[in-house]
Amino acid sequence: MTSRVLLVEDEPLIAMMLEDFLDALDRQCAGTADCVEAALPLVEAGGFDCAILDVNLRGGEKSWPIAAALAERNVPFVFATGGADDMIAEEFRARPILQKPFTLDGVEKALSAL
């Protein structure tokens, strides 16, 4: 079965690149959101197996509320960041990190580890 991945990424070109990577990895994009307000209804609706969350969203927004909602539902996720690990909120520090810039290999490894 193909795994369905929710993408939370505020840069449209990066989101499109991730969708291409998912396609190449025989995984399906189950939806994309670029902010907390858009992502939470998608989390509520379900229908995906895991998620990739950009830590820093537009306007200085962080993806912590989305991470909390996913954790509450036991949905695995990986944080995407170009920054250091200490930028991750303490309660989520044990979660896997996907470093930017993204590579196909990096995305595959991050998703396979979930």
Side-chain angles (χ1 to χ4, degrees):
M1 187 186 97
T2 308
S3 77
R4 296 173 46 81
V5 183
L6 174 67
L7 297 177
V8 180
E9 170 59 62
D10 64 335
E11 293 288 340
L13 289 175
I14 295 176
M16 289 187 330
M17 182 185 73
L18 281 171
E19 287 180 40
D20 288 345
F21 283 0
L22 292 177
D23 194 41
L25 296 169
D26 198 30
R27 296 174 187 256
Q28 202 172 31
C29 178
T32 58
D34 62 0
C35 64
V36 172
E37 186 180 358
L40 288 178
L42 296 176
V43 171
E44 189 73 34
F48 55 92
D49 305 302
C50 59
I52 297 175
L53 304 182
D54 187 8
V55 171
N56 296 302
L57 301 171
R58 80 174 48 139
E61 191 175 55
K62 301 284 189 192
S63 60
W64 313 142
I66 307 161
L70 290 167
E72 200 174 278
R73 290 164 177 77
N74 293 314
V75 176
F77 60 90
V78 59
F79 284 117
T81 182
D85 293 353
D86 62 359
M87 293 176 53
I88 304 296
E90 196 157 334
E91 72 238 55
F92 301 120
R93 292 238 171 103
R95 297 288 176 165
I97 303 282
L98 174 59
Q99 287 291 338
K100 291 181 177 181
F102 299 126
T103 63
L104 183 62
D105 189 49
V107 171
E108 181 178 33
K109 283 181 179 159
L111 292 175
S112 295
L114 290 179

